[in-house]
Amino acid sequence: MQPNPPVPHTATVDANGVHVTTAAGKSRTYSGGEVMTLTQVIDLAEGAATLCQSSLETCLELVDESAELAADCEVLIAEITEKEVGANLIGKCEYLKEQLALQAAAAQKVHDQIQGGEEACRMASANAEVRHGQIFRAVADSPLTKPAERDFYNAR
């Protein structure tokens, strides 16, 4: 039996915890306490994946912005060289360009790491349903409202 593909959830974080809104429109807030149900595990994993996805976009924007600023530095260096303003200013522009290249590389590295985290969260969500979904539904659908007495579990 193949699981349904994961459905994106929206998630926000504030001082009160993680607020997850499912595709069905249900909203839950997790304050960092213990997760009690399979649905909560799946929602948290999908919410974390959504947060990772927005961070990925931010990292890519930073990479692009750093590349644009480095290109601007290149133009500025050419103009300074043409006008023969001074070697000190050219050196500072070269240093700035190098720092922008380092920033772009760091943002790309963080992007790659977050991408792995997003994949892990989505996989955890899908695996939770595959591995535990049937027993979860069996318990949820059971007419029993309380666990068995201790002697039932200790019987051999």
Side-chain angles (χ1 to χ4, degrees):
M1 180 170 129
Q2 291 293 325
N4 293 333
V7 177
H9 290 48
T10 59
T12 57
V13 179
D14 63 18
N16 296 325
V18 178
H19 308 284
V20 177
T21 304
T22 66
K26 294 181 182 178
S27 182
R28 292 187 181 95
T29 299
Y30 302 100
S31 62
E34 184 177 338
V35 175
M36 300 302 289
T37 68
L38 180 66
T39 305
Q40 289 174 327
V41 170
I42 292 171
D43 287 350
L44 281 174
E46 285 298 318
T50 302
L51 289 174
C52 287
Q53 191 173 24
S54 66
S55 297
L56 286 173
E57 294 165 5
T58 303
C59 287
L60 289 178
E61 289 171 7
L62 185 56
V63 170
D64 291 343
E65 186 176 335
S66 296
E68 288 175 18
L69 289 173
D72 290 346
C73 283
E74 209 40 67
V75 170
L76 185 59
I77 290 169
E79 289 176 3
I80 292 170
T81 304
E82 181 182 311
K83 294 181 181 180
E84 299 177 1
V85 174
N88 190 24
L89 186 57
I90 292 173
K92 289 184 180 190
C93 288
E94 288 287 344
Y95 177 76
L96 180 59
K97 188 174 91 172
E98 290 170 10
Q99 293 303 308
L100 287 166
L102 290 174
Q103 177 176 303
Q108 185 64 48
K109 181 180 178 183
V110 169
H111 171 272
D112 295 344
Q113 292 171 335
I114 292 173
Q115 192 170 29
E118 179 191 14
E119 291 170 8
C121 289
R122 297 220 188 272
M123 186 62 68
S125 174
N127 285 343
E129 175 62 31
V130 169
R131 294 181 181 169
H132 306 289
Q134 290 179 344
I135 191 68
F136 176 76
R137 281 187 292 285
V139 170
D141 293 342
S142 172
L144 302 176
T145 58
K146 62 181 183 177
E149 296 295 323
R150 181 183 306 264
D151 293 339
F152 173 81
Y153 295 106
N154 292 332
R156 292 181 189 236

